[in-house]
Amino acid sequence: MSEPVRPLPWLEPRWRELIALAEAGRLPHALLFSGPHGVGKPSLAEALIARTLCQAPGEVACGRCHACQMLASGYHPDLMRVSPDEGKRQIRIDAIREINGFVSQTAQQGGYRVIVISPAEAMNVAASNALLKSLEEPGGRTLFLLLSDIPSHLLPTIRSRCQHWSLTAPDEADCLDWLAERLGGREDARFWYQAAGGLPLRALELAEPDARALRQQLHETFDALVRGAEPVAEAARLDRQSLDAILWYGIAWLEDLIRLGLSGESATLRNPDLLPLYRQAVKNGRVRDWFRLLDYAREQRRLLGAGGNPNPQLVLEAWLVRWSALLRS
């Protein structure tokens, strides 16, 4: 017997809404789960996949039937998952053509066919257009689950054919016990929850040793820039790190810095341990200039997410040169 698949605790209210729809026979054929990375979209999707394929579902999948056992083993003939190929950022049309063939077949286990596309915004335009016919005419007992961090990057024609469920960051009280159990205490849980902007799974990622080491290295980099270090040399020390992760930290820190610059209040900062760095930056630069730098970082992350292939070292050098210019102004 496999362990029944449940969503994460803070998603239980949304789960009950889904179950009510399913039991009333009103579950739509296409659902779009959206929300920031780290809110737990996959856990809600996995619970729904398991319950939909289960042969004797209750509030959750039974965990005992043949369908549940197949799913637990890692394979179910009526489940198709589509994501970008390893090392790629886009879902291309060939993968969607396989979906179209899959939905034209009868379910082998006599129940639902389930198709999961994640992240849905990774579909390029040709793939998105190829999916439209299956979304419009999926046939009976077919469930599409699209997971998206940034639903605005999906074609409007895709969004309009799905029922959209937006998942938001949970309150601290709803996830702190869960985080504390995994991070070894409430103090650590609260710190990383705050640093992650209220996203519990992101908090776990930030607390990993490699992520902590990168955060510390970036802190030291910006301290060095304040003291007049050469930005290109500092960029060279970061050249083996993930550009996306570096930009993510930088965006979070810039948002903190702008909050402090506009309000003068430190109580709402996500990274209160960086307050001395922020104060130095606020003293040296103007808020409108920090907004421009924030726009640059967001645009670079957007290009990365859209499948662009910028030169990481050049992007990092340009970004740190901008930081340095503001810190010294």
Side-chain angles (χ1 to χ4, degrees), residues 2-7 15 19 42-72 76 78-79 81 112 114 116 143 145:
S2 60
E3 190 72 23
V5 182
R6 297 198 69 92
W15 176 245
I19 297 310
S43 87
L44 191 63
E46 292 302 323
L48 186 57
I49 292 164
R51 190 184 187 278
T52 301
L53 294 174
C54 178
Q55 294 162 344
E59 182 189 350
V60 294
C62 72
R64 296 183 297 272
C65 69
H66 181 55
C68 287
Q69 295 300 310
M70 283 194 293
L71 191 62
H76 192 293
D78 297 324
L79 171 64
R81 299 180 187 270
Y112 265 83
V114 180
V116 187
L143 176 63
L145 289 176

Short mmCIF file of all heavy atoms in Angstrom, two decimals, residues 2-7 15 19 42-72 76 78-79 81 112 114 116 143 145:
data_model
loop_
_atom_site.label_atom_id
_atom_site.label_comp_id
_atom_site.label_asym_id
_atom_site.label_seq_id
_atom_site.Cartn_x
_atom_site.Cartn_y
_atom_site.Cartn_z
N SER A 2 0.59 2.19 -0.90
CA SER A 2 1.36 3.44 -0.95
C SER A 2 0.71 4.48 -0.05
O SER A 2 -0.48 4.41 0.25
CB SER A 2 1.43 3.95 -2.39
OG SER A 2 0.13 4.20 -2.89
N GLU A 3 1.51 5.45 0.36
CA GLU A 3 1.01 6.53 1.20
C GLU A 3 0.05 7.40 0.39
O GLU A 3 0.39 7.82 -0.72
CB GLU A 3 2.19 7.38 1.70
CG GLU A 3 1.83 8.38 2.76
CD GLU A 3 1.52 7.76 4.11
OE1 GLU A 3 1.99 6.63 4.36
OE2 GLU A 3 0.82 8.42 4.89
N PRO A 4 -1.16 7.69 0.90
CA PRO A 4 -2.07 8.57 0.15
C PRO A 4 -1.43 9.93 -0.13
O PRO A 4 -0.72 10.47 0.72
CB PRO A 4 -3.28 8.71 1.08
CG PRO A 4 -3.22 7.49 1.96
CD PRO A 4 -1.77 7.19 2.14
N VAL A 5 -1.66 10.45 -1.31
CA VAL A 5 -1.06 11.72 -1.73
C VAL A 5 -1.96 12.87 -1.30
O VAL A 5 -3.12 12.95 -1.71
CB VAL A 5 -0.84 11.76 -3.26
CG1 VAL A 5 -0.17 13.06 -3.67
CG2 VAL A 5 -0.02 10.56 -3.71
N ARG A 6 -1.42 13.76 -0.46
CA ARG A 6 -2.16 14.92 0.00
C ARG A 6 -1.45 16.20 -0.42
O ARG A 6 -0.22 16.20 -0.57
CB ARG A 6 -2.30 14.95 1.53
CG ARG A 6 -3.07 13.79 2.15
CD ARG A 6 -3.50 14.15 3.56
NE ARG A 6 -4.51 15.19 3.54
CZ ARG A 6 -5.82 14.94 3.53
NH1 ARG A 6 -6.27 13.71 3.54
NH2 ARG A 6 -6.68 15.95 3.50
N PRO A 7 -2.17 17.29 -0.59
CA PRO A 7 -1.50 18.56 -0.84
C PRO A 7 -0.83 19.07 0.43
O PRO A 7 -1.10 18.58 1.53
CB PRO A 7 -2.64 19.48 -1.28
CG PRO A 7 -3.85 18.91 -0.61
CD PRO A 7 -3.64 17.43 -0.55
N TRP A 15 -7.83 22.49 -1.85
CA TRP A 15 -8.07 21.08 -2.13
C TRP A 15 -9.53 20.73 -1.89
O TRP A 15 -10.16 20.04 -2.70
CB TRP A 15 -7.16 20.22 -1.27
CG TRP A 15 -7.38 18.74 -1.39
CD1 TRP A 15 -7.83 17.89 -0.42
CD2 TRP A 15 -7.17 17.93 -2.55
NE1 TRP A 15 -7.92 16.62 -0.90
CE2 TRP A 15 -7.52 16.60 -2.20
CE3 TRP A 15 -6.73 18.20 -3.84
CZ2 TRP A 15 -7.42 15.54 -3.11
CZ3 TRP A 15 -6.64 17.15 -4.75
CH2 TRP A 15 -6.99 15.85 -4.38
N ILE A 19 -12.23 19.05 -4.50
CA ILE A 19 -12.98 17.82 -4.22
C ILE A 19 -14.47 18.06 -4.37
O ILE A 19 -15.20 17.22 -4.91
CB ILE A 19 -12.65 17.29 -2.80
CG1 ILE A 19 -11.18 16.91 -2.70
CG2 ILE A 19 -13.52 16.10 -2.44
CD1 ILE A 19 -10.70 16.03 -3.81
N PRO A 42 2.86 22.04 -7.47
CA PRO A 42 2.94 20.61 -7.81
C PRO A 42 2.26 19.72 -6.79
O PRO A 42 1.71 18.67 -7.15
CB PRO A 42 4.45 20.34 -7.87
CG PRO A 42 5.05 21.67 -8.19
CD PRO A 42 4.19 22.66 -7.47
N SER A 43 2.25 20.09 -5.50
CA SER A 43 1.64 19.22 -4.50
C SER A 43 0.13 19.15 -4.69
O SER A 43 -0.49 18.09 -4.51
CB SER A 43 1.98 19.67 -3.08
OG SER A 43 1.08 20.65 -2.60
N LEU A 44 -0.49 20.27 -5.07
CA LEU A 44 -1.93 20.27 -5.35
C LEU A 44 -2.21 19.45 -6.60
O LEU A 44 -3.17 18.66 -6.63
CB LEU A 44 -2.42 21.71 -5.52
CG LEU A 44 -3.94 21.91 -5.54
CD1 LEU A 44 -4.57 21.51 -4.22
CD2 LEU A 44 -4.27 23.37 -5.87
N ALA A 45 -1.36 19.62 -7.61
CA ALA A 45 -1.53 18.86 -8.85
C ALA A 45 -1.37 17.36 -8.61
O ALA A 45 -2.17 16.55 -9.09
CB ALA A 45 -0.54 19.34 -9.90
N GLU A 46 -0.34 16.96 -7.85
CA GLU A 46 -0.10 15.53 -7.63
C GLU A 46 -1.25 14.88 -6.85
O GLU A 46 -1.62 13.73 -7.11
CB GLU A 46 1.22 15.32 -6.90
CG GLU A 46 2.46 15.69 -7.71
CD GLU A 46 2.55 14.91 -9.02
OE1 GLU A 46 2.18 13.73 -9.06
OE2 GLU A 46 2.99 15.52 -10.03
N ALA A 47 -1.80 15.61 -5.87
CA ALA A 47 -2.94 15.07 -5.13
C ALA A 47 -4.13 14.86 -6.06
O ALA A 47 -4.86 13.86 -5.97
CB ALA A 47 -3.31 15.99 -3.98
N LEU A 48 -4.34 15.82 -6.98
CA LEU A 48 -5.48 15.70 -7.90
C LEU A 48 -5.24 14.60 -8.93
O LEU A 48 -6.18 13.86 -9.28
CB LEU A 48 -5.71 17.04 -8.59
CG LEU A 48 -6.95 17.12 -9.49
CD1 LEU A 48 -8.23 16.79 -8.71
CD2 LEU A 48 -7.07 18.49 -10.15
N ILE A 49 -4.01 14.49 -9.42
CA ILE A 49 -3.68 13.40 -10.35
C ILE A 49 -3.99 12.05 -9.70
O ILE A 49 -4.66 11.18 -10.30
CB ILE A 49 -2.20 13.46 -10.75
CG1 ILE A 49 -1.92 14.69 -11.60
CG2 ILE A 49 -1.78 12.19 -11.49
CD1 ILE A 49 -0.44 15.03 -11.72
N ALA A 50 -3.49 11.86 -8.48
CA ALA A 50 -3.67 10.58 -7.79
C ALA A 50 -5.15 10.28 -7.57
O ALA A 50 -5.61 9.15 -7.81
CB ALA A 50 -2.92 10.59 -6.46
N ARG A 51 -5.91 11.27 -7.12
CA ARG A 51 -7.33 11.04 -6.86
C ARG A 51 -8.11 10.78 -8.15
O ARG A 51 -9.02 9.95 -8.19
CB ARG A 51 -7.94 12.24 -6.13
CG ARG A 51 -9.35 11.95 -5.61
CD ARG A 51 -9.98 13.18 -4.99
NE ARG A 51 -11.25 12.84 -4.36
CZ ARG A 51 -12.40 12.72 -5.02
NH1 ARG A 51 -12.44 12.91 -6.33
NH2 ARG A 51 -13.51 12.38 -4.36
N THR A 52 -7.75 11.48 -9.21
CA THR A 52 -8.46 11.33 -10.49
C THR A 52 -8.22 9.96 -11.09
O THR A 52 -9.14 9.36 -11.68
CB THR A 52 -8.00 12.43 -11.47
OG1 THR A 52 -8.28 13.71 -10.89
CG2 THR A 52 -8.72 12.33 -12.79
N LEU A 53 -7.02 9.42 -10.95
CA LEU A 53 -6.69 8.11 -11.52
C LEU A 53 -7.08 6.96 -10.60
O LEU A 53 -7.18 5.81 -11.04
CB LEU A 53 -5.21 8.03 -11.84
CG LEU A 53 -4.71 8.98 -12.95
CD1 LEU A 53 -3.19 8.91 -13.07
CD2 LEU A 53 -5.36 8.65 -14.29
N CYS A 54 -7.30 7.25 -9.32
CA CYS A 54 -7.62 6.21 -8.33
C CYS A 54 -8.93 5.52 -8.68
O CYS A 54 -9.89 6.15 -9.13
CB CYS A 54 -7.70 6.85 -6.94
SG CYS A 54 -8.15 5.68 -5.63
N GLN A 55 -9.00 4.20 -8.43
CA GLN A 55 -10.20 3.44 -8.73
C GLN A 55 -11.21 3.46 -7.59
O GLN A 55 -12.37 3.06 -7.77
CB GLN A 55 -9.80 1.99 -9.07
CG GLN A 55 -9.00 1.89 -10.36
CD GLN A 55 -8.24 0.58 -10.48
OE1 GLN A 55 -8.05 -0.15 -9.51
NE2 GLN A 55 -7.80 0.28 -11.71
N ALA A 56 -10.80 3.93 -6.40
CA ALA A 56 -11.72 3.99 -5.25
C ALA A 56 -11.40 5.22 -4.41
O ALA A 56 -11.03 5.11 -3.24
CB ALA A 56 -11.59 2.71 -4.42
N PRO A 57 -11.54 6.42 -5.01
CA PRO A 57 -11.12 7.61 -4.28
C PRO A 57 -12.07 8.00 -3.16
O PRO A 57 -13.28 7.81 -3.25
CB PRO A 57 -11.10 8.69 -5.37
CG PRO A 57 -12.14 8.23 -6.34
CD PRO A 57 -12.05 6.73 -6.35
N GLY A 58 -11.50 8.54 -2.09
CA GLY A 58 -12.28 9.19 -1.05
C GLY A 58 -11.92 10.66 -1.09
O GLY A 58 -11.90 11.26 -2.16
N GLU A 59 -11.60 11.21 0.08
CA GLU A 59 -11.13 12.60 0.07
C GLU A 59 -9.82 12.72 -0.69
O GLU A 59 -9.55 13.71 -1.35
CB GLU A 59 -10.94 13.10 1.51
CG GLU A 59 -10.50 14.55 1.57
CD GLU A 59 -10.11 14.99 2.97
OE1 GLU A 59 -10.35 14.22 3.93
OE2 GLU A 59 -9.56 16.08 3.10
N VAL A 60 -9.00 11.67 -0.59
CA VAL A 60 -7.77 11.58 -1.38
C VAL A 60 -7.75 10.20 -2.04
O VAL A 60 -8.63 9.36 -1.80
CB VAL A 60 -6.51 11.77 -0.51
CG1 VAL A 60 -6.45 13.18 0.06
CG2 VAL A 60 -6.47 10.75 0.62
N ALA A 61 -6.77 9.96 -2.89
CA ALA A 61 -6.61 8.63 -3.50
C ALA A 61 -6.44 7.57 -2.42
O ALA A 61 -5.83 7.83 -1.37
CB ALA A 61 -5.41 8.64 -4.44
N CYS A 62 -6.93 6.37 -2.70
CA CYS A 62 -6.94 5.33 -1.66
C CYS A 62 -5.55 4.82 -1.32
O CYS A 62 -5.28 4.39 -0.20
CB CYS A 62 -7.84 4.18 -2.08
SG CYS A 62 -7.17 3.14 -3.41
N GLY A 63 -4.63 4.83 -2.30
CA GLY A 63 -3.28 4.32 -2.06
C GLY A 63 -3.18 2.81 -2.14
O GLY A 63 -2.08 2.26 -2.01
N ARG A 64 -4.31 2.12 -2.35
CA ARG A 64 -4.30 0.65 -2.32
C ARG A 64 -4.58 0.00 -3.67
O ARG A 64 -4.14 -1.12 -3.93
CB ARG A 64 -5.34 0.15 -1.31
CG ARG A 64 -5.08 0.54 0.13
CD ARG A 64 -6.12 -0.07 1.07
NE ARG A 64 -7.46 0.43 0.77
CZ ARG A 64 -7.99 1.55 1.28
NH1 ARG A 64 -7.26 2.28 2.11
NH2 ARG A 64 -9.20 1.93 0.97
N CYS A 65 -5.37 0.66 -4.51
CA CYS A 65 -5.82 0.03 -5.75
C CYS A 65 -4.66 -0.11 -6.74
O CYS A 65 -3.57 0.44 -6.55
CB CYS A 65 -6.97 0.83 -6.36
SG CYS A 65 -6.47 2.45 -7.00
N HIS A 66 -4.93 -0.85 -7.82
CA HIS A 66 -3.89 -1.09 -8.84
C HIS A 66 -3.42 0.22 -9.45
O HIS A 66 -2.22 0.40 -9.69
CB HIS A 66 -4.46 -2.02 -9.92
CG HIS A 66 -3.48 -2.36 -10.99
ND1 HIS A 66 -2.24 -2.92 -10.73
CD2 HIS A 66 -3.54 -2.20 -12.35
CE1 HIS A 66 -1.59 -3.11 -11.86
NE2 HIS A 66 -2.35 -2.67 -12.86
N ALA A 67 -4.35 1.15 -9.69
CA ALA A 67 -3.98 2.44 -10.28
C ALA A 67 -3.03 3.20 -9.36
O ALA A 67 -2.04 3.80 -9.81
CB ALA A 67 -5.23 3.26 -10.58
N CYS A 68 -3.34 3.22 -8.07
CA CYS A 68 -2.46 3.91 -7.11
C CYS A 68 -1.10 3.25 -7.03
O CYS A 68 -0.07 3.94 -6.91
CB CYS A 68 -3.12 3.93 -5.72
SG CYS A 68 -4.51 5.08 -5.57
N GLN A 69 -1.07 1.93 -7.11
CA GLN A 69 0.21 1.23 -7.07
C GLN A 69 1.05 1.54 -8.30
O GLN A 69 2.27 1.72 -8.22
CB GLN A 69 -0.02 -0.28 -6.94
CG GLN A 69 -0.68 -0.71 -5.64
CD GLN A 69 0.13 -0.31 -4.42
OE1 GLN A 69 1.33 -0.57 -4.35
NE2 GLN A 69 -0.51 0.34 -3.46
N MET A 70 0.39 1.60 -9.47
CA MET A 70 1.13 1.95 -10.69
C MET A 70 1.68 3.36 -10.58
O MET A 70 2.84 3.62 -10.94
CB MET A 70 0.20 1.84 -11.92
CG MET A 70 -0.04 0.42 -12.38
SD MET A 70 -0.78 0.36 -14.04
CE MET A 70 -2.40 1.08 -13.72
N LEU A 71 0.86 4.27 -10.10
CA LEU A 71 1.31 5.66 -9.97
C LEU A 71 2.48 5.77 -9.01
O LEU A 71 3.46 6.48 -9.27
CB LEU A 71 0.13 6.53 -9.51
CG LEU A 71 0.34 8.04 -9.58
CD1 LEU A 71 0.57 8.49 -11.02
CD2 LEU A 71 -0.88 8.77 -9.00
N ALA A 72 2.41 5.03 -7.91
CA ALA A 72 3.49 5.06 -6.92
C ALA A 72 4.78 4.48 -7.49
O ALA A 72 5.88 4.88 -7.10
CB ALA A 72 3.07 4.30 -5.66
N HIS A 76 2.01 5.28 -15.03
CA HIS A 76 0.59 4.98 -15.22
C HIS A 76 0.29 5.23 -16.69
O HIS A 76 0.60 6.31 -17.22
CB HIS A 76 -0.28 5.87 -14.33
CG HIS A 76 -1.71 5.43 -14.26
ND1 HIS A 76 -2.55 5.48 -15.35
CD2 HIS A 76 -2.44 4.91 -13.24
CE1 HIS A 76 -3.74 5.02 -15.01
NE2 HIS A 76 -3.70 4.67 -13.73
N ASP A 78 -2.26 6.02 -18.30
CA ASP A 78 -3.21 7.08 -18.63
C ASP A 78 -2.77 8.45 -18.12
O ASP A 78 -3.58 9.38 -18.02
CB ASP A 78 -4.60 6.73 -18.08
CG ASP A 78 -5.16 5.46 -18.70
OD1 ASP A 78 -4.91 5.25 -19.91
OD2 ASP A 78 -5.81 4.67 -17.99
N LEU A 79 -1.50 8.55 -17.79
CA LEU A 79 -0.93 9.83 -17.34
C LEU A 79 0.22 10.21 -18.25
O LEU A 79 1.12 9.42 -18.52
CB LEU A 79 -0.40 9.69 -15.90
CG LEU A 79 0.41 10.86 -15.35
CD1 LEU A 79 -0.43 12.12 -15.24
CD2 LEU A 79 0.99 10.50 -13.97
N ARG A 81 3.08 13.36 -18.77
CA ARG A 81 3.70 14.57 -18.23
C ARG A 81 4.57 15.19 -19.32
O ARG A 81 5.36 14.48 -19.97
CB ARG A 81 4.57 14.25 -17.02
CG ARG A 81 3.81 13.62 -15.84
CD ARG A 81 4.77 13.35 -14.70
NE ARG A 81 4.16 12.60 -13.61
CZ ARG A 81 3.53 13.16 -12.57
NH1 ARG A 81 3.45 14.49 -12.51
NH2 ARG A 81 3.01 12.41 -11.62
N TYR A 112 -9.95 8.10 -16.30
CA TYR A 112 -9.51 9.36 -16.88
C TYR A 112 -8.17 9.23 -17.59
O TYR A 112 -7.35 8.37 -17.25
CB TYR A 112 -9.36 10.41 -15.77
CG TYR A 112 -10.57 11.29 -15.57
CD1 TYR A 112 -11.64 10.85 -14.79
CD2 TYR A 112 -10.64 12.56 -16.14
CE1 TYR A 112 -12.75 11.67 -14.59
CE2 TYR A 112 -11.74 13.38 -15.94
CZ TYR A 112 -12.78 12.94 -15.17
OH TYR A 112 -13.88 13.74 -14.98
N VAL A 114 -5.01 11.84 -17.96
CA VAL A 114 -4.54 13.07 -17.32
C VAL A 114 -3.26 13.53 -18.02
O VAL A 114 -2.34 12.73 -18.21
CB VAL A 114 -4.28 12.86 -15.81
CG1 VAL A 114 -3.80 14.16 -15.18
CG2 VAL A 114 -5.55 12.37 -15.12
N VAL A 116 -0.32 16.54 -17.81
CA VAL A 116 0.28 17.59 -16.98
C VAL A 116 1.34 18.32 -17.80
O VAL A 116 2.25 17.69 -18.34
CB VAL A 116 0.93 17.00 -15.71
CG1 VAL A 116 1.40 18.11 -14.78
CG2 VAL A 116 -0.02 16.06 -14.99
N LEU A 143 -8.45 15.15 -18.35
CA LEU A 143 -8.12 16.26 -17.47
C LEU A 143 -6.74 16.81 -17.84
O LEU A 143 -5.74 16.09 -17.80
CB LEU A 143 -8.10 15.81 -16.00
CG LEU A 143 -7.68 16.87 -14.98
CD1 LEU A 143 -8.64 18.05 -14.97
CD2 LEU A 143 -7.55 16.26 -13.58
N LEU A 145 -3.88 19.49 -16.73
CA LEU A 145 -3.38 20.30 -15.62
C LEU A 145 -2.19 21.09 -16.11
O LEU A 145 -1.16 20.52 -16.47
CB LEU A 145 -2.96 19.41 -14.44
CG LEU A 145 -4.06 18.71 -13.66
CD1 LEU A 145 -3.46 17.80 -12.59
CD2 LEU A 145 -4.98 19.72 -13.01
#
